[in-house]
Amino acid sequence: MSEPMIEEAPVSLSEAPTRRLNMIEAINDALDLMMERDPDVVVMGEDVGYFGGVFRATAGLQKKYGKTRVFDTPISECGIIGVAVGMGAYGLRPVPEIQFADYIYPGLDQLVSEAARLRYRSAGGFIAPLTVRSPFGGGIFGGQTHSQSPEALFTHVAGIKTVVPSTPHDAKGLLIAAIEDNDPVIFFEPKRIYNGPFNGYYDKPVEPWSRHPDSAVPEGYYSIPLGKARIVRPGEAVTVLAYGTMVHVAEAVLREKGVDAEIIDLRTLVPLDIDTIEQSVRKTGKCLIVHEATRTSGFGAELSALVQERCFYHLEAPIERVTGFDTPYPHSLEWAYFPGPVRTHRLRNLRGQRRGDRYSPDHRSPRPENHHYPPAHPLCARPGIMLAGSA
Amino acid sequence: MTDAGAPGATGTQGHGNLPPLSLHVPEPKFRPGDTVDYSHIKVPPAGAQPRPDESCAASETHPLCLDLVRVLDDENRAVGPWNPKLDAETLRRMLRMMALTRAFDDRMYRGQRQGKTSFYMKCTGEEATSIAPAMALAHDDMVFPSYRQQGILITRGYPLVEMINQIYSNRADKLKGRQLPIMYSAPEHAFFTISGNLATQYPQAVGWAMASAIKGDTRIAATWIGEGSTAEGDFHSAMTFAAVYNAPVIFNVVNNQWAISSFSGFAGAERTTFAARAIGYGIAGLRVDGNDPLAVYAATQWAANRARANAGPTLIEHFTYRAEGHSTSDDPTQYRSAQEREEWPLGDPVTRLLRHLIALGEWSEEQHAAMDRELVDLVKAATREAEKNGVLGHGLHHPFHTMFEDVFEELPWHLREQSEQAIRERRIKWPEWSDESWRENGR
């Protein structure tokens, strides 16, 4: 994307009139605005028409734009995505909704084999400029099929962009950018933070968005380029990579612990803002990755690998991941599963220990006496690498 | 040890005196070496099928879903209400396109055997199911084909050289060598990019037709699928969406009896026809003699008129026979009787149209033989032309870096890095390598 970042826009958005919106209202605002601007934008999905969506994201749109631009569909995710691909081939800009990310799987063949590859296999002859909106993530007692975070299924697919907003302000700007983008975009909306920036403290009342600075949403058009992360909070002690609900959880936990963490909200997973990540980890020397999705082969594994490859000589401790467990999302044990404050309090990277401290995660068995750490690999034995940052 | 009473346990004890249940696994009538007897296939007389009004209720077409619309009779005359009454010039063009498609298939099949490409699929015996519809549709009606409708591209005047370039994946291939041979894509000929994943084009065609309706356009969509692929979930989704939104789309099911080695019984053909499925969705259905080009033309015309009048979608089952193997990777003698092709009761579409034209006094065996020779030369010339751009595996491909392009509209950083990595890896073997040098000398 070559468009300037919103912070650099010639007309400062801080001067634009704003309203306090929650995330649903911001998404509704973005859809309304894009339907107004572009007659080729159509919104479709289960219950999105007359009723306005089970989360109200499309409320009022059918009344305003008519049934041929905002319409209910049969309960068929394969059909919804497949039909949207055909509409895109015609020249429309469809914004299909999948009611829950947990139900996107019947549409997976159409997304992976068709939408993602249309441009490539036709050498640009046909494109699939769709934006698939879908509520995702847990923390709402949604159980197994209303809580999943399947982003890694999509980040693994060449040709699809994956976006996850964490604030009303970003939700509007990113959704506008996604709809304008000529590539297929999966737009995952963390439903836990539709109404307020949930911080993981499930036993305390959730603050509404109106008290959060990022609920000030400018009126009118603005877009946030895909592929640009947001530094939520600058810091020196550790880099925290998060997206969606976990941005707010990480922020609260680290504030409570008094860790001077640099929190990065990735916003777009593919394409990833690798520069922002690299700069931060090179500064802090440590990296913590947080996501709700299950651990094995989750997007955190890719992040960890990238940081390891690109910041190896700057790392002072192993990269840590706090993620959902490798189980289906449980109902009654939600707060034992959710990577919230309970799950993060023992992490070494969060203890604010001195730079250069050795790592001994307490979930592993103790090291044998004769075990040398770091391992005696020729690369690691080079002076200046072992000692990096140990002052 | 398994507890026989536990859930999921296997066991044979029944309840009382109920008979044991039995699983029916379909079996084709004839296997290799068997004598073929097609007397179970009912071939109704040509011209006997009524032609309802194009705006009729879908349910009115139910009898036609169980019948077989036929126009060409045993004396090679065009008869009955479905006779599209085409002029001789149109009939000769149709014959020429069918013969050209067959000549093209034969040449490309040989090309694969000679190692000029990795793969090919013929449509022998099914030419009518793509060429007649292509002629009955408007040139800008969007088609969403499967991999056995090369006849559409040929009929729409797509250059043979471009088709062969794609098959050879050479440096002139418009798809830049990315796609398996025969997975054409021709937007300017309203021919949608072919996917290896079966049936995915079905809901896509519906979406395209819906888009056309949303925009108040007059163009319609048509899509093709084999009878085997009707078992895919996409078929059901497409039919449901088309019915719900009354989409201007034509669904073609080419029932050629075989899905690789599986006979049509594995797609449900033992219980009903494929056309009859339309009725359950509230969609009009027609079952046509797929080897009768005039019947196929008439059915397409009927369905196109219906769609254009906002009267709704139509499913057309083309009852035909896959005369050749599934692909160059397939040997049909391993699973079906070689006699099937000879005994097929609906004959050969090219021969039937040829005889019709001769019966009309508009064509002769001599003219046909001359045309066949001309078409062979035409294909040969196109092949030679394409070979100047290279054949598979002998250099002359698209520039190396193009592999990374078009994944996204713009090249993201990770693909740029991987592109550079690929160049470094290549230089390990060829230190002097560059995209330009490689373009010229083939590596």
Side-chain angles (χ1 to χ4, degrees), chain A residues 176-248:
Chain A
I176 287 171
I179 293 172
E180 287 185 327
D181 199 288
N182 287 328
D183 293 316
V185 180
I186 307 290
F187 193 85
F188 278 139
E189 301 165 2
K191 57 188 166 297
R192 173 69 257 197
I193 55 171
Y194 268 158
N195 294 316
F198 177 69
N199 60 14
Y201 289 89
Y202 57 92
D203 41 359
K204 292 175 190 154
V206 177
E207 292 238 317
W209 271 115
S210 57
R211 290 189 213 151
H212 193 283
D214 288 334
S215 72
V217 176
E219 283 181 18
Y221 174 89
Y222 69 97
S223 73
I224 297 173
L226 307 186
K228 294 282 179 204
R230 171 176 71 105
I231 296 179
V232 180
R233 178 200 185 280
E236 301 291 329
V238 56
T239 297
V240 179
L241 304 180
Y243 46 92
T245 306
M246 300 317 292
V247 170
H248 304 283

Side-chain angles (χ1 to χ4, degrees), chain A residues 285 312-318 355-359 367 371-391:
Chain A
F312 182 74
Y313 298 121
H314 293 79
L315 283 173
E316 297 158 15
R355 308 183 92 202
D357 273 9
R358 282 179 180 177
Y359 175 75
R367 277 185 280 127
H371 180 88
H372 296 286
Y373 188 86
H377 185 276
L379 263 180
C380 301
R382 274 158 55 194
I385 292 171
M386 259 179 72
L387 301 175
S390 62

Side-chain angles (χ1 to χ4, degrees), chain B residues 38-46 49 67-68 70 74 287 289 319 344-346 352:
Chain B
Y38 275 130
S39 56
H40 64 285
I41 294 181
K42 290 191 199 99
V43 181
Q49 302 76 35
D67 203 333
L68 205 58
R70 303 182 74 228
D74 296 340
R287 188 163 174 269
D289 175 348
F319 195 70
W344 181 246
L346 301 179
R352 284 174 69 185

Side-chain angles (χ1 to χ4, degrees), chain B residues 6-302:
Chain B
T10 55
T12 52
Q13 78 266 45
H15 291 281
N17 58 357
L18 293 175
L21 296 168
S22 67
L23 181 73
H24 172 69
V25 179
E27 184 62 30
K29 289 208 167 358
F30 321 110
R31 286 297 194 187
D34 289 350
T35 306
V36 171
D37 173 11
Y38 275 130
S39 56
H40 64 285
I41 294 181
K42 290 191 199 99
V43 181
Q49 302 76 35
R51 187 184 188 281
D53 191 83
E54 284 144 1
S55 61
C56 72
S59 56
E60 256 186 68
T61 62
H62 193 203
L64 287 166
C65 293
L66 307 172
D67 203 333
L68 205 58
V69 173
R70 303 182 74 228
V71 171
L72 289 174
D73 70 8
D74 296 340
E75 278 78 50
N76 307 309
R77 293 171 310 188
V79 296
W82 286 93
N83 180 5
K85 300 195 171 109
L86 301 177
D87 60 62
E89 191 50 47
T90 307
L91 290 172
R92 276 192 294 265
R93 176 156 184 267
M94 190 184 276
L95 181 67
R96 182 180 173 86
M97 291 303 118
M98 288 169 59
L100 177 56
T101 302
R102 190 163 287 185
F104 185 81
D105 274 0
D106 287 343
R107 183 89 201 173
M108 290 303 104
Y109 184 89
R110 265 210 314 286
Q112 192 277 340
R113 291 299 190 243
Q114 291 163 352
K116 291 175 183 171
T117 187
S118 61
F119 184 73
Y120 193 71
M121 295 176 110
K122 299 172 101 174
C123 67
T124 311
E126 301 171 39
E127 290 90 348
T129 65
S130 59
I131 289 153
M135 290 181 66
L137 292 168
H139 70 97
D140 56 353
D141 287 334
M142 190 73 179
V143 299
F144 291 75
S146 81
Y147 46 68
R148 227 184 281 281
Q149 281 80 46
Q150 52 265 54
I152 299 174
L153 267 185
I154 289 175
T155 306
R156 285 192 166 178
Y158 191 76
L160 295 184
V161 176
E162 298 293 1
M163 291 175 78
I164 304 169
N165 285 337
Q166 197 281 329
I167 290 164
Y168 287 170
S169 279
N170 61 24
R171 66 179 169 186
D173 172 13
K174 288 195 164 172
L175 306 184
K176 305 186 179 180
R178 293 171 185 159
Q179 265 284 40
L180 195 69
I182 72 153
M183 305 276 181
Y184 311 106
S185 174
E188 60 291 347
H189 288 74
F191 185 98
F192 190 70
T193 159
I194 297 174
S195 170
N197 296 62
L198 297 176
T200 50
Q201 71 273 21
Y202 245 50
Q204 291 164 358
V206 176
W208 196 96
M210 287 169 68
S212 186
I214 288 169
K215 300 304 274 187
D217 198 344
T218 57
R219 291 177 292 167
I220 63 170
T223 183
W224 280 255
I225 201 175
E227 91 286 349
S229 305
T230 62
E232 294 280 7
D234 291 71
F235 175 81
H236 169 68
S237 295
M239 298 300 279
T240 304
F241 274 68
V244 166
Y245 301 106
N246 204 42
V249 61
I250 303 172
F251 296 112
N252 293 284
V253 173
V254 182
N255 177 6
N256 66 12
Q257 316 303 320
W258 291 95
I260 308 186
S261 75
S262 302
F263 88 115
S264 58
F266 283 98
E270 288 180 332
R271 311 290 163 190
T272 186
T273 68
F274 293 96
R277 279 151 215 232
I279 300 303
Y281 292 98
I283 290 176
L286 301 172
R287 188 163 174 269
V288 304
D289 175 348
N291 290 14
D292 178 343
L294 298 186
V296 173
Y297 185 100
T300 307
Q301 200 175 41
W302 187 93

